[in-house]
């Protein structure tokens, strides 16, 4: 049976992933495609609905992203958002012009047609998030205006007979107070989706599909201990049991006790039916990193050495039929293989098959899921909560949370400081409110006084951010008494530290990680 799907057609908007996530929150499966995708491919997916995203261009400029107007003649409901709304009007005979007043930020929208399906149960005056230079000066034939603002005569318009809806603002962002309701109205009521895309059925269907694909084959998984690879490993374990071998490379750059925690879950004493191999390669990595200070060089060394270690262990395992990767949907989109937005970063999980392992095919059981959905799968599989809700952690580990040269002593310092920080954040009940928090070790040393002695030790920087999508982030406001307790414990309990600082930098201009 074909899965019900809503397609997001991406015109370069910054919120493309967010739109897809909001649709999935309505328990409706959603995929992102570039506006360059051929209409025949879109039709082949048999979507229940199509959403056109925002974008940075002006639709009336000759080189701006566009699409064939045939998309509006398929009998499939279409919702245009911001640039998508303007493009819909432009292609269908309306008029879009540069606005005299740019609308940006929270704006009161007046709903003119309260009986509109897309605005069902939405307040007559509602706060929405606007972000546009252009405006719809004239609606296309057959459309009626359904909402306006003080500066925008067409905040929304529709041709209900053809199930075409244009919305100038962004219902997908949280600043639009009733945006989720609007999107639900579109995908459930207008598109007629059943809303049965749930993680319990995903797990059941995935296990069945993996069993059919693998048969009696052998499967190899590089287990990092992170959420994605751990959930992928458990899913494969449920499907094929001891046909799965997981290789866990401990490069000595994990959080405190994390290597032992991974072994406790997946090793011989754990509750999963698989072959577990732990490689303790700490000294090997420290040796390679000796004297190296440049961040990108450290990343490269750690990545290349990881491959070499994994390759050596894979050779011991011998030929396998399948290689498991913990690729998730943002990896696909951010690598430029899904939507149209700029390539944000390269992912080791995407784009090329590794030539250092003898295998026949790759299995990516989580490639359709966002991170929050991966966590739901983990819970559905009965995985421990501390593992499912583990903080995001970079592939190079503490190598990018230690400024300058990486040494065993510096790793010990940052591990101990980070453990104290995480312990106190949890004790204060803030661990579920803050999206990411950690301690980093700066390369700064300064004079301090402890007891009657002068010290010349390192400064630890604490980082904590709140974010929706990890593309942008703001520093979290942590109560002063909590920070005081963390500072006191770190200085008293972690040898080699005499100063603690809090990083207030947002993203942009900074990054969430330190290097």
């Amino acid at each position: 049976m074909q899965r019900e799907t809503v397609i997001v057609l991406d015109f370069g908007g910054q919120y493309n992933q967010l739109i897809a996530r909001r649709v999935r929150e309505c328990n409706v499966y959603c995929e992102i495609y570039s506006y360059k995708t051929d209409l025949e491919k879109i039709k082949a997916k048999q979507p229940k609905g199509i959403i056109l995203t925002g974008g940075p261009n002006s639709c009336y400029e000759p080189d701006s992203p566009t699409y064939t107007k045939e998309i509006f003649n398929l009998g499939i409901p279409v919702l245009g958002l911001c640039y998508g709304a303007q493009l819909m009007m432009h292609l269908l005979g309306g008029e879009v012009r540069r606005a005299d007043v740019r609308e940006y930020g929270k704006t009161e929208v007046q709903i003119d047609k309260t009986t509109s399906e897309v605005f069902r149960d939405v307040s007559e005056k509602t706060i929405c998030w606007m972000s546009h230079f252009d405006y719809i000066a004239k609606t296309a034939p057959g459309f009626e205006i359904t909402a306006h603002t003080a500066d925008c005569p067409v905040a929304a318009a529709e041709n209900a007979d053809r199930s075409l809806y244009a919305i100038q603002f962004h219902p997908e962002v949280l600043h639009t107070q009733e945006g989720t309701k609007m999107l639900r109205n579109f995908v459930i009521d207008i598109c007629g989706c059943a809303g049965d895309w749930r993680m319990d059925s995903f797990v059941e269907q995935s296990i069945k599909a993996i069993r059919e694909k693998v048969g009696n084959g052998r499967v190899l998984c590089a287990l990092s201990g992170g959420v994605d690879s751990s959930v992928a490993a458990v899913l494969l374990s449920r499907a094929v049991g001891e046909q799965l071998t997981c290789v866990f490379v401990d490069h000595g750059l994990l959080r405190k006790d994390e290597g032992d925690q991974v072994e406790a879950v997946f090793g011989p004493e754990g509750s999963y039916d698989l072959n577990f191999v732990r490689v303790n390669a700490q000294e090997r990595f420290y040796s390679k990193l000796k004297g190296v200070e440049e961040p990108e060089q450290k990343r490269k060394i750690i990545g290349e050495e990881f491959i070499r270690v994994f390759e050596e262990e894979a050779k011991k395992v011998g030929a396998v039929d399948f290689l498991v990767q913990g690729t998730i949907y943002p990896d696909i989109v951010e690598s430029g293989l899904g939507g149209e937005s700029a390539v944000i970063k390269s992912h080791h999980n995407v784009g090329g098959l590794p030539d250092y392992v003898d295998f026949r095919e790759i299995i990516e059981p989580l490639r359709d899921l966002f991170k929050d959905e991966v966590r739901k799968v983990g819970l559905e599989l009965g995985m421990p909560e501390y593992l499912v809700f583990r903080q995001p952690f970079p592939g190079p580990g503490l190598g990018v949370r230690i400024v300058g040269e990486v040494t065993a002593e510096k790793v010990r310092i940052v591990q101990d400081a980070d453990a104290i920080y995480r312990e106190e954040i949890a004790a204060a009940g803030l661990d579920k409110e803050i999206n990411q928090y950690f301690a980093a070790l700066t390369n700064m040393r300064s004079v301090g006084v402890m007891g009657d002695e002068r010290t010349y030790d390192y400064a630890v920087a604490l980082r904590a951010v709140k974010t929706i999508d990890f593309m942008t982030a703001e520093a979290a406001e942590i109560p002063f008494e909590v920070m005081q307790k963390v500072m006191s414990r770190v200085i008293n309990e972690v040898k080699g530290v005499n100063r603690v600082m809090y990083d207030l930098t947002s993203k942009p201009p900074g990054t969430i990680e330190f290097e």
Side-chain angles (χ1 to χ4, degrees):
M1 185 178 73
Q2 182 154 338
R3 182 164 58 194
E4 283 187 341
T5 302
V6 167
I7 283 178
V8 171
L9 209 54
D10 180 17
F11 290 89
Q14 60 179 316
Y15 301 127
N16 62 352
Q17 288 193 40
L18 199 52
I19 296 168
R21 284 180 60 190
R22 292 286 175 261
V23 171
R24 291 194 188 187
E25 285 170 9
C26 300
N27 297 319
V28 174
Y29 182 68
C30 185
E31 289 184 349
I32 302 169
Y33 287 91
S34 163
Y35 74 91
K36 296 172 185 174
T37 306
D38 188 79
L39 181 64
E40 291 305 312
K41 183 174 180 180
I42 300 294
K43 286 163 65 175
K45 299 295 291 187
Q46 297 180 32
K48 299 280 286 186
I50 297 169
I51 299 176
L52 313 180
T53 76
N57 303 92
S58 293
C59 66
Y60 47 79
E61 296 290 347
D63 295 330
S64 292
T66 188
Y67 206 73
T68 171
K69 65 180 181 182
E70 287 304 308
I71 196 169
F72 304 114
N73 299 326
L74 300 177
I76 299 169
V78 180
L79 173 64
L81 304 179
C82 198
Y83 181 87
Q86 294 168 3
L87 183 64
M88 182 187 291
M89 293 297 108
H90 178 69
L91 292 174
L92 293 176
E95 188 178 351
V96 178
R97 294 182 195 159
R98 176 67 56 151
D100 294 328
V101 179
R102 180 192 178 188
E103 281 190 312
Y104 183 81
K106 293 180 180 179
T107 306
E108 184 179 81
V109 173
Q110 172 72 49
I111 306 298
D112 299 313
K113 185 182 178 183
T114 55
T115 57
S116 167
E117 285 290 310
V118 83
F119 294 131
R120 180 181 299 207
D121 296 327
V122 172
S123 307
E124 198 168 328
K125 290 184 178 179
T126 186
I127 299 299
C128 300
W129 185 260
M130 287 282 192
S131 178
H132 63 101
F133 284 106
D134 295 331
Y135 77 105
I136 298 167
K138 178 184 173 186
T139 58
F143 281 78
E144 63 176 315
I145 297 171
T146 55
H148 73 277
T149 73
D151 294 308
C152 183
V154 186
E158 67 180 44
N159 184 329
D161 292 339
R162 297 176 64 188
S163 296
L164 302 179
Y165 299 85
I167 293 179
Q168 182 60 69
F169 51 86
H170 290 276
E172 70 274 18
V173 302
L174 293 178
H175 302 300
T176 298
Q177 293 176 351
E178 298 177 89
T180 299
K181 194 182 292 182
M182 298 171 198
L183 288 174
R184 174 173 284 276
N185 287 342
F186 178 71
V187 298
I188 300 296
D189 296 336
I190 295 170
C191 298
C193 294
D196 55 5
W197 162 251
R198 292 186 173 84
M199 291 305 105
D200 53 353
S201 57
F202 173 85
V203 168
E204 185 181 324
Q205 291 164 11
S206 295
I207 290 173
K208 183 182 177 184
I210 290 166
R211 280 180 184 150
E212 289 176 0
K213 178 188 280 277
V214 171
N216 296 320
R218 300 178 68 200
V219 186
L220 180 65
C221 174
L223 181 63
S224 70
V227 177
D228 303 336
S229 73
S230 296
V231 172
V234 173
L235 199 54
L236 265 293
S237 167
R238 287 285 177 85
V240 299
E242 290 188 356
Q243 292 166 244
L244 172 67
T245 297
C246 288
V247 175
F248 169 53
V249 178
D250 186 346
H251 49 30
L253 301 169
L254 298 170
R255 287 166 285 207
K256 188 171 183 178
D257 301 327
E258 198 161 61
D260 294 337
Q261 290 171 3
V262 172
E263 184 168 2
V265 172
F266 293 100
E269 305 303 317
S271 55
Y272 298 108
D273 189 20
L274 52 84
N275 299 300
F276 177 81
V277 179
R278 178 176 180 176
V279 187
N280 292 310
Q282 295 92 330
E283 296 307 320
R284 180 168 168 173
F285 278 84
Y286 296 157
S287 173
K288 290 285 183 180
L289 290 166
K290 188 173 182 180
V292 180
E293 296 188 2
E294 204 276 319
E296 199 55 39
Q297 194 179 354
K298 287 193 293 184
R299 287 176 182 271
K300 190 174 180 181
I301 289 169
I302 294 165
E304 288 179 352
E305 199 60 23
F306 182 92
I307 287 173
R308 291 196 186 101
V309 175
F310 184 68
E311 178 182 11
E312 290 168 15
E313 292 304 315
K315 284 177 180 174
K316 295 176 188 176
V317 173
V320 295
D321 300 286
F322 300 92
L323 181 69
V324 179
Q325 291 192 158
T327 312
I328 64 174
Y329 199 52
D331 297 342
I332 305 294
V333 177
E334 289 174 9
S335 298
L337 302 180
E340 181 55 29
S341 297
V343 175
I344 296 161
K345 53 190 171 182
S346 59
H347 286 267
H348 68 276
N349 279 342
V350 178
L353 305 185
D355 55 9
Y356 51 86
V357 179
D358 183 10
F359 70 99
R360 192 175 81 231
E361 192 177 344
I362 279 186
I363 294 177
E364 297 172 308
L366 309 176
R367 67 176 285 126
D368 289 338
L369 305 185
F370 287 103
K371 179 73 80 174
D372 55 329
E373 293 171 327
V374 173
R375 296 189 198 279
K376 289 176 185 176
V377 169
L379 295 176
E380 194 66 37
L381 289 165
M383 292 173 64
E385 278 201 19
Y386 75 84
L387 185 56
V388 172
F389 290 102
R390 179 164 279 164
Q391 288 275 305
F393 195 60
L398 299 178
V400 295
R401 292 183 182 174
I402 295 171
V403 180
E405 182 186 13
V406 175
T407 66
E409 175 64 6
K410 286 183 176 180
V411 170
R412 193 261 319 155
I413 289 173
V414 77
Q415 281 180 335
D416 288 347
D418 183 70
I420 289 169
Y421 185 33
R422 287 188 288 124
E423 196 176 295
E424 292 301 332
I425 289 290
L430 300 171
D431 51 324
K432 294 291 194 294
E433 294 179 22
I434 304 172
N435 301 98
Q436 188 168 351
Y437 52 94
F438 59 87
L441 186 64
T442 74
N443 210 19
M444 184 184 87
R445 301 183 76 180
S446 60
V447 174
V449 179
M450 299 184 76
D452 295 325
E453 296 182 2
R454 286 167 65 85
T455 60
Y456 186 63
D457 287 328
Y458 286 104
V460 161
L462 305 178
R463 187 85 164 120
V465 298
K466 288 193 171 185
T467 175
I468 295 172
D469 53 12
F470 290 88
M471 303 298 174
T472 61
E474 297 291 338
E477 292 186 36
I478 299 175
F480 188 69
E481 59 270 20
V482 176
M483 299 300 282
Q484 282 284 88
K485 190 170 184 182
V486 174
M487 177 275 297
S488 179
R489 283 194 61 193
V490 168
I491 288 176
N492 283 296
E493 298 175 32
V494 183
K495 185 180 178 183
V497 177
N498 67 359
R499 201 171 292 266
V500 176
M501 302 181 290
Y502 185 60
D503 182 2
L504 286 168
T505 315
S506 61
K507 177 188 178 182
T511 57
I512 293 176
E513 291 292 341
F514 255 58
E515 289 194 343

